[in-house]
Amino acid sequence: MGVAVMWPRRNRHRENAERNARLDMVRNQLERRGIMDERVLQAMREVPRHVFAPAKRRHEAYGDHPIPIGEMQTISQPYMVAVMIEHLRLRGGERVLEIGTGSGYQAAVLSRLAAEVYTVECFPSLAADARLVLQRLGCPSVRVMDADGCQGLADQAPYNGIIVAAAAAFIPPPLRAQLADGGRLVMPVGGPEGQRLVIVTRQAGTFIEEKAVTCRFVPLLGADVQ
Ligand code: SAH
């Protein structure tokens, strides 16, 4: 069963409170911790995170933590969403692949920063709920696909940015192969006890790897990646 998608009637008082919570989130959780890309900050000021949270968790949508969304999955912590997206260095014209749609929140933020967003989810119930919320919010540049993200999405490759919202012991080879020249891939790499964010840049056929912050993500599901 998917998470019920609630679309409450307009309530100005509540909308103001949610907007204030969102502005506080950006100031206290993102700017204070060093997120500097103004486009990323602005996108996260604008995208209503609470509509992606299950109705009973809507009040915690702007907290400094991940939020459970069913199927033992979570919406990533706001700071991790910002760090990962900042590493992609998007300027607006890119085609981006996200592995792990979850609630669709990160895809909605990406859709404000790139031209096209393809996002892949392995649980059909989560994909269906995300599609509905993204449609109601008005994110026509996002396509939600039911598939195993370990294979990437070869049909639409190559991608200028690839963002993986779940962790594995190594980067699935198809994802590297689907990166455009000059493109960047961001993924948490490591075991269940903790990971490092790895950033891969493809340049003239070679892959340059850097490590960034430590993090803790749900596992990327798939037979041979853990
Ligand atoms: N980006 C999401 C958070 C994702 S949590 C958001 O903003 O809400 C990680 C997601 O990856 C989960 O929804 C999980 O179901 C999905 N996932 C895990 N392994 C996967 C795989 N092999 N292929 C596609 N999706 C996968």
Side-chain angles (χ1 to χ4, degrees):
M1 268 294 282
V3 178
V5 177
M6 301 269 292
W7 213 260
R9 270 173 286 136
R10 282 189 81 103
N11 173 330
R12 195 170 301 251
H13 178 69
R14 182 151 147 180
E15 282 175 15
N16 281 338
E18 281 158 345
R19 182 169 321 105
N20 288 338
R22 196 153 61 243
L23 297 179
D24 284 350
M25 171 192 89
V26 169
R27 204 174 306 114
N28 299 329
Q29 300 174 36
L30 310 187
E31 292 183 274
R32 277 208 191 141
R33 292 188 185 133
I35 303 296
M36 286 167 55
D37 185 330
E38 187 47 43
R39 293 180 72 241
V40 175
L41 295 169
Q42 188 56 23
M44 291 185 67
R45 285 183 197 111
E46 288 172 5
V47 174
R49 185 170 159 94
H50 59 271
V51 303
F52 294 92
K56 66 175 189 291
R57 296 200 178 262
R58 187 175 165 137
H59 63 283
E60 359 169 1
Y62 297 100
D64 192 11
H65 50 76
I67 304 167
I69 52 172
E71 307 288 8
M72 296 187 36
Q73 304 303 330
T74 58
I75 311 181
S76 308
Q77 178 195 25
Y79 176 66
M80 283 315 308
V81 172
V83 168
M84 295 221 287
I85 294 180
E86 188 172 57
H87 279 301
L88 291 181
R89 299 190 189 161
L90 300 172
R91 286 292 159 261
E94 296 86 354
R95 172 178 293 195
V96 174
L97 174 65
E98 178 191 38
I99 307 301
T101 311
S103 67
Y105 171 69
Q106 181 164 269
V109 176
L110 286 167
S111 75
R112 303 207 161 219
L113 300 169
E116 293 169 76
V117 179
Y118 290 89
T119 178
V120 173
E121 174 55 53
C122 62
F123 285 102
S125 60
L126 295 180
D129 286 348
R131 228 174 252 128
L132 196 59
V133 179
L134 288 162
Q135 192 190 346
R136 295 184 98 155
L137 196 61
C139 298
S141 60
V142 180
R143 296 271 181 286
V144 181
M145 321 295 277
D146 290 277
D148 173 12
C150 296
Q151 305 309 316
L153 190 63
D155 286 2
Q156 308 296 332
Y159 303 95
N160 309 106
I162 300 181
I163 189 162
V164 186
F170 59 90
I171 299 170
L175 299 186
R176 283 177 196 264
Q178 292 170 23
L179 202 55
D181 194 39
R184 291 165 68 81
L185 177 155
V186 182
M187 172 171 173
V189 177
E193 65 294 335
Q195 307 106 26
R196 290 284 295 276
L197 215 55
V198 172
I199 297 107
V200 177
T201 310
R202 182 172 194 161
Q203 254 164 34
T206 64
F207 295 95
I208 301 158
E209 258 184 59
E210 309 156 61
K211 288 200 169 73
V213 291
T214 57
C215 49
R216 198 158 172 180
F217 277 78
V218 295
L220 183 67
L221 305 172
D224 52 1
V225 290
Q226 298 300 336

